[in-house]
Amino acid sequence: MLSDETYMQRCIDLARMGQGFVSPNPMVGAVVVHEGKIVGEGYHRKFGEPHAEVNAIADVKDQSILSQCTLYVNLEPCAHHGKTPPCANLLVEKKLKRVVIGCSDPHSKVSGKGVDLLKKAGIDVRLGVLQQECRELNRRFITFHERQRPYVILKWAQTKDGFLDRIRHDEETGINWITSPETKSLVHKWRSQYAETLNGFAFLKRIPSTS
């Protein structure tokens, strides 16, 4: 039988599939296991759509076995009504036997409430499996809610001899890039991973880097 850590890693892998589509929500993946076998999987696909737990449970063909199943999820199930109903309520309704959670959700409407709801319903809960990896996955979301500030990265281009630019004359308007096409592709990848300041979670600070 596989370990809790192995199933949690699968949750993380599933969660990453939502990257770039779920902000300002966190990336979340969920796995349903019955007698050592994965019987359902899901992840949060797009902001405003069903969460990972909902999709994973819906993926289980025989719903009658859910009371004998363990659900793994990399972030504490939500316990409040937003664009979708609370996931913790669904887990209680389906009478899951056990729920294994990667890390707590620092959102003020969730923090600890999801775990408490599950425990009060008699569900066996384990919290903190691959916690560091789960927090790293949603570091932007977690930073915003724990520190009340965006998660910021700084980028700049610099030559090997330490220059960011060269002395220009006022009439010069041409741009000569000191970066490569590969670097530009990397920056576009970053931009898809880091939300803009418009939604309040993180931004990519740009410093002019031409010479």
Side-chain angles (χ1 to χ4, degrees), residues 153-158 164-165 177 179 191 204-210:
I153 65 169
L154 177 67
K155 78 172 182 73
W156 70 90
Q158 179 176 316
L164 296 177
D165 206 343
W177 294 94
T179 54
R191 288 187 181 280
L204 191 63
K205 178 64 177 177
R206 184 177 184 275
I207 292 179
S209 57
T210 58

Side-chain angles (χ1 to χ4, degrees), residues 119-178:
K119 287 183 176 180
K120 287 178 180 177
I123 295 175
D124 180 18
V125 178
R126 182 184 178 191
L127 176 65
V129 175
L130 295 188
Q131 179 171 272
Q132 183 176 346
E133 291 86 345
C134 291
R135 286 179 60 85
E136 175 66 17
L137 174 69
N138 283 307
R139 58 191 178 278
R140 308 160 188 86
F141 174 84
I142 289 173
T143 296
F144 179 78
H145 287 285
E146 284 188 344
R147 303 185 183 184
Q148 289 74 55
R149 67 166 176 80
Y151 185 91
V152 182
I153 65 169
L154 177 67
K155 78 172 182 73
W156 70 90
Q158 179 176 316
T159 60
K160 285 185 177 181
D161 51 356
F163 289 92
L164 296 177
D165 206 343
R166 61 180 172 80
I167 297 176
R168 296 170 179 271
H169 298 293
D170 291 341
E171 66 273 12
E172 289 188 85
T173 58
I175 295 177
N176 299 311
W177 294 94
I178 64 174

